[in-house]
């Protein structure tokens, strides 16, 4: 979608002048401090969320019941809204700002429904539930996340129109003009009892990985330079415009790492580097990494000043509070102290204002995901999928391979064998025996990945399997094997452990990483290095996700714009039934010195 320069300039001008005005009296605590110390002081609080991923209610649409996990966390904006209301009541509504660090409109069946089933882009279409909830909560600004682009730029632009707050992305540039395609920042005035307002600038930065992950949606339309580069450009501008406080809302983790190696020219998790390298920043709301960081200080190398970072846990499980204390010195406001903490949303009830507002949308989605689409001959679960070859993962590979075979049937590649990769996205996925619903199938594939076909060799497949096997913790022969401690070596997530169907192989967990995969065979024979295969692979992996070897550089034979999840739902609908006996097989196993572990 081309950048409408006129509309952007109009919106940017409004944003720069102050999208949100917050004023009135200072907090009682600040007044007491002023009286005690004799200096002009003012205190305010910035509240932050991130990685909400379409969660409004404390509800799991895949299990059709209230959300719960082993730590008994709660999720959703309805819970967060209650926390926000309490903080605003304590601090004074006009002494607070509410911002977000991205990944808002993708992740639940609620958000999917209003992007695909009853899309907000349709003529006379609905208002996105996340826009309704965030408008009702009176958000002041939100940074763009990478998942904002999953459904295409038109859906994102419509969501932007529906929000009564700006979506910020200083490093989301129009590919032709290299000018910001979204408002880079917003400026907010907080009125103090001392005459001069406090000007708070919020700079939004998004993730450069969008160029890889959503290449099909953004190529030729937008480009995404590094966070440090754009922060260095905009922070001095904001200070020259009179900003007393500069806050960065960054959809980027703090670790300084990337999961894409050379595929990604800019650092994926760069929030810490921004704090370290760019002077003039007071605080950074961190997103993207799905970790909890209540308070973390980074010292800026040029000024020696400490910058506070905080990342609230995903899906609305936590709310960050940045508490600022300012003092009037030499004719301007200076940040004297700033700290951060997080509040847990499981300590409060859902805000009835939010639940009432969106009850109709919620009920529609619950009805949608509970539609029966077929039957299943035998129950399948993913509980043991990270360390055993189980039928439920075989189902994904079976459907992917079948889809690719049909797509290539009339091409020069029709005679090549098809291999397929899949990962365990959820250890709680289950397809029951008997009736199968949309949510049963959707719960097996929780990401909006699409399907591609790549041309791979036997040698490349061996390297792919070897890299995947890094997932396991090295375990000596004879040592006790605890499944709970066997996986996720070096922090590797479940979704970065791929199993491949169409080959048989063993993974020797007693051997060091890099030399574990043995006895790789195709149709009973040792796999030849020069053998050629069609590889059914999701777009995340095909575009470099997880930094698996070779696949991103191999020829693309076919691709599909529909989510794999939808492909699976359509397949079950078309077949009418699932029979694990038709596709389940033990193609891989864990061993130690040739002896199976399980």
């Amino acid at each position: 979608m081309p950048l409408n320069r006129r509309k952007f300039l109009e919106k940017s001008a409004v944003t720069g002048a102050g999208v949100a005005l917050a004023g009135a009296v200072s907090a009682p605590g600040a007044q007491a401090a002023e009286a005690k110390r004799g200096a002009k002081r003012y205190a305010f609080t910035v509240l932050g969320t991130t990685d909400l991923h379409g969660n409004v209610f404390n509800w799991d649409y895949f299990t059709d019941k209230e959300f719960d996990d082993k730590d008994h966390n709660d999720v959703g904006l309805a819970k967060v809204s209650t926390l926000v209301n309490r903080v605003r009541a304590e601090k004074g509504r006009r002494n607070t700002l509410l911002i977000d660090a991205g990944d808002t409109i993708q992740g639940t069946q609620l958000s999917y429904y209003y992007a695909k089933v009853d899309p907000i882009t349709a003529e006379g279409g609905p208002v996105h539930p996340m826009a309704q909830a965030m408008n009702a909560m009176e958000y002041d600004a939100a940074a763009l996340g990478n998942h904002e682009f999953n459904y295409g730029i038109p859906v994102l632009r419509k969501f932007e129109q529906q929000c009564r707050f700006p979506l910020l992305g200083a490093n989301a540039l129009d590919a032709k003009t290299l000018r910001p395609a979204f408002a880079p920042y917003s400026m907010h005035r907080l009125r103090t009892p001392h005459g001069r307002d406090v000007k708070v600038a919020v700079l939004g930065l998004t993730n450069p990985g969008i160029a890889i992950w959503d290449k099909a949606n953004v190529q030729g339309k937008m480009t995404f330079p590094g966070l440090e580069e754009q922060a260095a450009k905009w922070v001095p501008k904001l200070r020259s415009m009179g900003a007393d406080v500069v806050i960065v809302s960054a959809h980027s983790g703090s670790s300084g790492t990337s999961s894409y190696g050379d595929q990604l020219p800019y650092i994926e998790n760069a929030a810490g580097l921004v704090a370290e390298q760019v002077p003039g920043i007071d605080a950074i709301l961190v997103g993207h990494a799905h970790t909890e960081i209540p308070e973390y200080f980074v010292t800026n190398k040029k000024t020696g000043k400490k910058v506070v970072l905080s990342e609230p846990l995903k899906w609305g499980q936590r709310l960050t509070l940045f508490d600022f204390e300012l003092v009037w010195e030499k004719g301007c406001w200076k940040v004297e102290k700033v700290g951060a903490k997080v509040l847990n949303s499981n300590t409060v009830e859902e805000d009835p204002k939010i639940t009432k507002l969106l009850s109709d949308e919620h009920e529609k989605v619950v009805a949608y995901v509970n539609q029966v689409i077929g039957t299943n001959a035998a129950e399948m679960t993913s509980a043991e999928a990270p360390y055993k070859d189980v039928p439920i993962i075989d189902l994904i590979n079976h459907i992917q391979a079948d889809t690719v075979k049909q797509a290539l049937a009339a091409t020069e590649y029709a005679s090549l064998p098809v291999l397929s990769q899949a990962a365990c996205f959820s250890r709680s996925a289950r397809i029951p025996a008997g009736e199968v619903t949309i949510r049963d199938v959707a719960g097996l594939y929780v990401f909006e990945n699409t399907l591609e076909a790549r041309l791979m060799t036997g040698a490349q497949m061996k390297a792919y399997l070897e890299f995947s096997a890094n997932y396991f913790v090295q375990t000596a022969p004879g040592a006790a094997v605890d499944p709970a401690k066997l996986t996720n070596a070096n922090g590797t997530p479940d979704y970065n452990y791929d199993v491949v169907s169409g080959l048989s192989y063993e993974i020797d967990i007693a051997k060091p990483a890099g030399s574990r995969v043995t006895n790789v065979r195709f149709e009973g024979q040792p796999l030849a290095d020069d053998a050629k295969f069609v590889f059914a692979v999701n777009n995340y992996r095909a575009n470099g996700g997880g930094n698996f070897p070779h696949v991103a550089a191999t020829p693309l034979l076919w691709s599909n714009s529909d989510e794999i999840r939808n492909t699976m739902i359509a397949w079950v609908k078309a077949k009418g039934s699932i029979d694990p006996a038709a596709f389940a097989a033990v193609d891989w196993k864990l061993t130690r010195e040739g002896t199976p572990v399980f």
Side-chain angles (χ1 to χ4, degrees):
M1 182 176 183
L3 171 66
N4 187 319
R5 181 68 181 149
R6 180 180 177 184
K7 287 185 178 180
F8 168 70
L9 287 174
E10 290 173 353
K11 185 164 186 175
S12 183
V14 172
T15 303
V19 172
L21 289 177
V25 298
S26 61
Q31 293 175 339
E34 176 193 354
K36 183 177 180 180
R37 303 181 191 177
K40 294 180 179 180
R41 298 182 184 277
Y42 176 69
F44 71 96
T45 298
V46 176
L47 304 92
T49 55
T50 191
D51 296 279
L52 293 169
H53 284 288
N55 285 280
V56 173
F57 298 88
N58 186 41
W59 192 260
D60 186 339
Y61 292 96
F62 296 130
T63 62
D64 199 28
K65 59 185 180 182
E66 183 175 303
F67 176 89
D68 194 24
D69 62 14
K70 63 181 178 62
D71 297 318
H72 302 297
N73 288 303
D74 288 345
V75 299
L77 276 174
K79 289 268 185 173
V80 173
S81 183
T82 300
L83 292 175
V84 169
N85 291 338
R86 289 187 178 183
V87 174
R88 284 171 171 168
E90 176 191 350
K91 305 286 185 179
R93 171 66 182 88
R94 296 181 178 181
N95 299 311
T96 64
L97 294 172
L98 176 59
I99 64 175
D100 183 79
D103 276 5
T104 302
I105 60 172
Q106 175 278 336
T108 63
Q109 286 294 284
L110 180 71
S111 54
Y112 174 82
Y113 186 89
Y114 288 98
K116 292 289 190 176
V117 182
D118 186 10
I120 61 174
T121 49
E123 186 175 352
V127 177
H128 199 289
M130 294 301 288
Q132 292 191 58
M134 295 174 82
N135 287 341
M137 292 171 64
E138 298 182 351
Y139 268 78
D140 294 286
L144 293 166
N146 53 283
H147 283 288
E148 261 65 84
F149 294 84
N150 285 174
Y151 298 119
I153 294 175
V155 170
L156 174 55
R157 286 298 189 192
K158 187 64 177 180
F159 175 69
E160 180 188 27
Q161 292 172 15
Q162 294 177 342
C163 292
R164 295 199 293 265
F165 53 90
L167 301 183
L168 308 178
N171 62 326
L173 309 182
D174 179 85
K176 294 181 179 178
T177 66
L178 297 183
R179 295 179 181 273
F182 293 83
Y185 66 92
S186 58
M187 192 74 79
H188 311 265
R189 290 182 179 272
L190 302 176
R191 191 169 302 159
T192 76
H194 305 299
R196 187 181 184 277
D197 295 346
V198 171
K199 292 179 70 175
V200 181
V202 179
L203 177 67
L205 296 170
T206 192
N207 205 291
I210 295 166
I212 293 175
W213 307 323
D214 273 297
K215 183 178 180 180
N217 291 327
V218 301
Q219 189 173 33
K221 300 172 184 177
M222 292 187 190
T223 184
F224 303 88
L227 282 82
E228 308 102 297
E229 169 192 324
Q230 293 301 303
K233 173 183 177 180
W234 283 100
V235 171
K237 288 185 178 182
L238 296 174
R239 289 293 184 182
S240 69
M241 292 166 60
D244 300 297
V245 179
V246 174
I247 300 166
V248 173
S249 184
H251 193 75
S252 181
S254 62
S255 65
T257 62
S258 286
S259 59
Y260 289 78
D262 294 337
Q263 296 284 332
L264 187 59
Y266 302 103
I267 298 297
E268 177 184 352
N269 296 301
L273 295 175
V274 170
E276 183 181 83
Q277 297 176 13
V278 181
I281 298 170
D282 296 295
I284 300 180
L285 177 65
V286 178
H288 183 62
H290 289 200
T291 58
E292 181 176 344
I293 306 174
E295 182 183 62
Y296 174 54
F297 288 95
V298 174
T299 301
N300 185 270
K301 286 186 174 181
K302 296 182 180 179
T303 65
K305 176 184 173 182
K306 288 186 176 181
V307 182
V308 65
L309 284 69
S310 181
E311 180 176 5
L313 197 58
K314 64 185 184 299
W315 306 344
Q317 295 179 60
R318 304 288 186 273
L319 173 70
T320 278
L321 271 64
F322 291 106
D323 288 314
F324 288 85
E325 295 181 18
L326 276 61
V327 62
W328 181 264
E329 286 184 354
K330 299 179 180 178
C332 61
W333 289 106
K334 300 287 186 183
V335 175
E336 186 176 49
K337 182 181 179 183
V338 57
K341 62 181 179 181
V342 296
L343 302 181
N344 194 330
S345 66
N346 73 4
T347 62
V348 297
E349 299 298 317
E350 292 183 320
D351 183 350
K353 175 183 175 182
I354 303 301
T355 56
K356 182 179 179 181
L357 177 69
L358 291 163
S359 61
D360 289 346
E361 286 83 349
H362 174 67
E363 289 171 6
K364 283 182 182 179
V365 176
V366 169
Y368 165 74
V369 299
N370 280 290
Q371 291 179 42
V372 175
I373 57 174
T375 60
N376 180 31
E379 182 184 50
M380 297 181 288
T381 77
S382 62
E384 297 179 322
Y387 50 89
K388 287 184 181 180
D389 190 343
V390 295
I392 202 167
I393 304 299
D394 292 338
L395 175 63
I396 300 174
N397 277 327
H398 180 67
I399 294 174
Q400 290 182 165
D402 191 34
T403 302
V404 168
K405 285 175 184 176
Q406 292 184 41
L408 298 179
T411 73
E412 61 183 296
Y413 305 104
S415 62
L416 289 180
V418 178
L419 311 179
S420 179
Q421 62 79 222
C424 177
F425 293 148
S426 169
R427 296 193 185 198
S428 61
R430 172 181 173 268
I431 299 182
E435 290 185 338
V436 176
T437 64
I438 284 177
R439 67 178 174 85
D440 293 328
V441 178
L444 178 57
Y445 212 106
V446 299
F447 294 111
E448 263 74 15
N449 296 338
T450 58
L451 188 60
E452 296 188 8
R454 297 279 181 145
L455 185 63
M456 298 275 281
T457 67
Q460 289 171 335
M461 290 308 309
K462 289 177 185 176
Y464 191 99
L465 293 173
E466 192 65 67
F467 183 87
S468 188
N470 293 341
Y471 172 72
F472 296 102
V473 174
Q474 186 175 4
T475 309
V481 176
D482 180 355
K485 299 178 181 178
L486 181 60
T487 62
N488 307 101
N490 300 312
T492 303
D494 290 347
Y495 63 75
N496 271 346
Y497 172 58
D498 285 0
V499 301
V500 173
S501 70
L503 301 174
S504 64
Y505 56 97
E506 299 174 7
I507 300 173
D508 190 334
I509 60 172
K511 294 182 179 180
S515 60
R516 291 175 169 173
V517 177
T518 61
N519 200 24
V520 184
R521 293 177 176 269
F522 174 67
E523 295 184 340
Q525 300 299 315
L527 179 62
D529 286 348
D530 60 353
K532 291 186 177 181
F533 299 94
V534 174
F535 190 36
V537 58
N538 69 57
N539 68 309
Y540 172 79
R541 188 71 77 235
N543 289 324
N547 203 28
F548 276 61
H550 302 304
V551 63
T554 57
L556 173 65
L557 308 182
W558 171 85
S559 65
N560 186 11
S561 61
D562 204 11
E563 289 93 347
I564 293 171
R565 178 164 60 202
N566 277 350
T567 299
M568 294 172 61
I569 291 169
W571 187 92
V572 175
K573 279 184 177 180
K575 298 292 184 181
S577 63
I578 302 170
D579 183 3
F583 55 80
V586 179
D587 293 323
W588 65 274
K589 57 188 175 183
L590 301 183
T591 64
R592 285 186 294 186
E593 297 183 337
T595 302
V597 176
F598 299 106

